[in-house]
Amino acid sequence: MTNPNLIPVYAEIFLMVAASAILLIDMFLSKRSLAYYLSLAALAGCGILTWADYNAGATVYTFSNMFVSDPMSNLLKLFAYLATGITLIYSRQYATERGMLSGNLGGEFYVLALFSLLGQMVMISGNNMLVIYLGLELMSLALYALVALRRDHAVSTEAAMKYFILGALSSGFLLYGISMLYGATGSLDITEIARVAASGTVNKTIMVFGIVFMVAGLGFKLGAVPFHMWVPDVYQGAPTAVTLLLGGAPKLAAFAICIRLLVEGLLPMAIDWQQMLMVLAVASLAVGNLTAIAQTNLKRMLAYSTIAQMGFVLLGLAAGVVAAAPGSGLAADSSNAVPAYSAGLYYSITYVLTTLGSFGLIMMLARAGFEAEELTDFKGLGKRSPWFAIVMTILMFSLAGVPPMMGFMAKWSVLQAVVTSGQVWLAVVAVMFSLIGAFYYLRVVKTMWFDEPADASLIAVPLDMRVALSANGIAIVALGLVPGALLGACLNAMSKTLGG
C-alpha cells in the first residue's frame, strides 16, 4: 500500500539528525567519549523505531513509491544497526591508540560511520533505481573517507585511492546499466520495470546489456570474482576498525539491492542474469578459497575468505531463480523461490556476525604501534588468553562450516536450496571448495593452540569490548544449536516481501 506520511522513514530521519548533532557537538566540545555514547544511543533509537515497523509486518510505500518499508528491509536494518554498534565498540580503543579520534574533528570517525549506515538504510529500502544509487554513493563516499582517515599512514592512503578509483568505476557500471534499463522501460521505478519487462514489449537486447553492466556493479559491491581486485588490498591497507565497517553491514545492503534490482525488478529476465550469477559464484568460491591458502596476513586471508563467502550468497540468489521457474526461461513468480532467497539472507547475516568477531579479535590483540595482522601474531593465544582463543576457534569453525556452529547451518540451507533447484553439480562444487577452504581456517586454530606464544604479555581488553566479543562468540554457537528462530525470521521476511 502507499502511505503519503513519513512513518517508514522515521529511522532514517532520526539517524540523519543524530549524526549531524554528533558532528556539531564534537566540533564545539571535542568530547570523543560523548560522541561514542551518542552514536550508540542513536543506533539504539533507530533499532526501536525499526523494530516497531518489523513487528507490524506490513509493506508500506512512500515518496511516490520510491521508498519501501517491508519485513526484509526492517530485518536487514536491525542487523545493520547491530553490526555497526558492535563495530564501534570493538574500534574504540583501537582508533584512540592510532590517533583516529584526535584533532579538531576526531569525532568524524563516528559521524562517517553513521552516514555510511544511513546510505545502507536507503539502499535497503530503495524502490527506485535512482534512490538505490544515491544510497550507494552516500555509503561509498563515507567509506572512502574512513579508509583514508589515518592521513599520515601511507598504506591506508594507498588503499583509499584504490578503493575510490575502483569504486567509481563500479558505480559507473551500475549507473550505465540503470540508464539502459531506463531507456528500455521508460521508468526508474522497480515495480514498473518489472511490469514492463514481463509484458514482453521491451527491446531485449538493450535489457540484457543493461543487466550485464548492473551485475558487474553489484559484483563489485559484493566483492565477487572477477570484480574482487579491491577487496584484499583495501581490507589489508585500511585501519582494522574501518575494515570491519567495510566488511560488515555493507554486505547486508549489497544483498538487499541484489533482491531489489534483480528479483523484484528483473525477475522476468532471470534466465539472463541467473547464468551470470552462477559463473560469479563458482569463480568466487574457487579464487577465494584457493588464494586464501597462500596468505600469511590474517586480514588479507579474511578478505579472500569474504570473496568465497559471497560465492555462497550468490548461489542462493541463482538457486532461487531456478526454483521459481523450473525448466523454463522465464521466472514469473518469485514466491516459489522464497526458501532459496531466505537462505541467502540467512547466510549474509551469518557472515556478518562471524566477521564482526574475527576482526574484533584482531583489534583486541593490536596495541599502539603494533598491528596484530599476521598469522604468527596469534601464536600461543590459547596460553595467553584461553577464553578468547576459544572464541576465535568458534568463529573459524563457523566460517569453515563445522557443526554445530552457525556457519554450518548457513551453508546447509544454501546447499539445500541449490539441490532443490536441480543444480546438484553446483552443490558438489561448493562443497569441494568449502573443504579446501577449511584448511586455512583450521590453520589459525592450530596456530593459537599448538604454537608457542611469541609474546607472553597479558592482554588488556576494555570491559565493553570483552563483553561484546564474548557475546559474539556465544551467539555463533547458540544460533547454530538453535537456528530455528533466525531461519524462521528470514523465511517470514522474504515470504512477506516477495510472496505477500
Side-chain angles (χ1 to χ4, degrees):
M1 66 178 181
T2 301
N3 187 348
N5 299 319
L6 296 179
I7 293 176
V9 293
Y10 273 172
E12 285 77 6
I13 294 173
F14 177 80
L15 185 62
M16 180 174 63
V17 172
S20 303
I22 291 169
L23 178 61
L24 291 174
I25 290 172
D26 183 71
M27 287 175 62
F28 292 105
L29 298 180
S30 298
K31 298 287 187 181
R32 302 294 105 87
S33 59
L34 181 59
Y36 168 72
Y37 290 114
L38 286 176
S39 297
L40 294 181
L43 294 173
C46 289
I48 293 171
L49 292 171
T50 304
W51 180 255
D53 287 339
Y54 176 72
N55 280 335
T59 297
V60 181
Y61 294 87
T62 190
F63 290 119
S64 301
N65 289 345
M66 291 191 294
F67 192 94
V68 59
S69 172
D70 54 27
M72 183 192 75
S73 67
N74 291 324
L75 182 64
L76 284 171
K77 286 177 187 178
L78 288 172
F79 278 99
Y81 305 149
L82 178 65
T84 304
I86 292 177
T87 300
L88 296 183
I89 293 173
Y90 290 164
S91 305
R92 186 183 184 190
Q93 178 174 288
Y94 178 93
T96 301
E97 292 176 345
R98 281 146 191 81
M100 296 167 63
L101 301 180
S102 61
N104 294 330
L105 289 176
E108 63 194 3
F109 174 78
Y110 299 116
V111 175
L112 289 171
L114 293 182
F115 274 115
S116 171
L117 175 61
L118 179 60
Q120 295 160 33
M121 294 166 68
V122 174
M123 291 167 65
I124 290 171
S125 284
N127 192 52
N128 181 287
M129 291 196 174
L130 193 56
V131 172
I132 290 175
Y133 181 77
L134 290 174
L136 176 63
E137 288 304 295
L138 175 57
M139 178 192 76
S140 299
L141 290 171
L143 291 176
Y144 297 153
L146 282 167
V147 175
L149 199 57
R150 294 184 67 184
R151 301 172 183 84
D152 57 344
H153 196 254
V155 177
S156 296
T157 305
E158 179 186 354
M161 288 295 293
K162 290 178 180 177
Y163 187 35
F164 174 74
I165 293 170
L166 293 173
L169 181 64
S170 75
S171 295
F173 281 158
L174 189 62
L175 195 59
Y176 189 64
I178 290 173
S179 68
M180 295 191 78
L181 292 175
Y182 175 73
T185 63
S187 178
L188 291 170
D189 184 271
I190 290 175
T191 306
E192 178 65 14
I193 288 173
R195 187 193 67 78
V196 175
S199 69
T201 59
V202 296
N203 187 317
K204 187 174 181 180
T205 302
I206 297 177
M207 290 287 286
V208 170
F209 269 105
I211 290 171
V212 169
F213 282 100
M214 184 171 289
V215 169
L218 294 174
F220 178 91
K221 298 306 175 187
L222 286 169
V225 176
F227 311 104
H228 68 292
M229 66 290 291
W230 66 277
V231 179
D233 289 341
V234 175
Y235 272 45
Q236 182 180 358
T240 308
V242 179
T243 302
L244 188 47
L245 285 171
L246 277 168
K251 299 304 182 188
L252 300 175
F255 175 83
I257 61 174
C258 285
I259 293 292
R260 299 292 185 205
L261 296 177
L262 300 180
V263 178
E264 292 188 337
L266 295 169
L267 195 62
M269 307 291 294
I271 192 61
D272 298 297
W273 57 259
Q274 176 214 18
Q275 298 171 27
M276 288 184 266
L277 292 191
M278 290 171 64
V279 172
L280 295 183
V282 173
S284 298
L285 288 168
V287 173
N289 284 312
L290 293 175
T291 312
I293 293 174
Q295 307 304 315
T296 58
N297 182 282
L298 199 55
K299 285 171 67 176
R300 199 171 184 87
M301 187 204 83
L302 289 173
Y304 282 107
S305 166
T306 295
I307 295 168
Q309 302 290 342
M310 290 302 104
F312 265 94
V313 175
L314 291 172
L315 283 181
L317 291 171
V321 175
V322 178
S328 74
L330 191 66
D333 182 9
S334 63
S335 60
N336 296 326
V338 164
Y341 296 132
S342 67
L345 173 59
Y346 181 75
Y347 200 99
S348 300
I349 293 171
T350 299
Y351 160 78
V352 170
L353 292 179
T354 311
T355 296
L356 288 170
S358 302
F359 283 102
L361 277 158
I362 293 175
M363 284 188 276
M364 183 197 77
L365 291 179
R367 55 184 182 274
F370 173 73
E371 302 287 341
E373 297 179 2
E374 297 298 323
L375 184 60
T376 53
D377 296 327
F378 277 73
K379 282 185 175 181
L381 182 60
K383 295 179 180 178
R384 297 178 63 195
S385 178
W387 170 244
F388 287 114
I390 291 173
V391 172
M392 190 63 166
T393 301
I394 290 171
L395 297 168
M396 292 298 103
F397 279 177
S398 182
L399 287 171
V402 176
M405 308 308 167
M406 188 182 184
F408 168 76
M409 184 52 66
K411 282 182 167 59
W412 175 263
S413 60
V414 170
L415 291 173
Q416 188 177 40
V418 173
V419 172
T420 301
S421 71
Q423 305 292 313
V424 178
W425 68 271
L426 203 54
V428 172
V429 170
V431 171
M432 287 176 57
F433 282 118
S434 292
L435 291 174
I436 294 172
F439 168 78
Y440 57 85
Y441 295 124
L442 296 179
R443 184 176 58 184
V444 177
V445 177
K446 175 260 180 189
T447 301
M448 291 189 300
W449 291 105
F450 297 103
D451 289 2
E452 290 298 320
D455 182 3
S457 61
L458 294 175
I459 302 173
V461 185
L463 179 61
D464 54 354
M465 187 178 190
R466 184 184 295 272
V467 171
L469 275 172
S470 300
N472 201 162
I474 293 170
I476 296 299
V477 179
L479 291 172
L481 291 172
V482 190
L486 184 54
L487 275 171
C490 292
L491 183 61
N492 179 64
M494 295 307 299
S495 177
K496 289 184 176 178
T497 299
L498 299 178

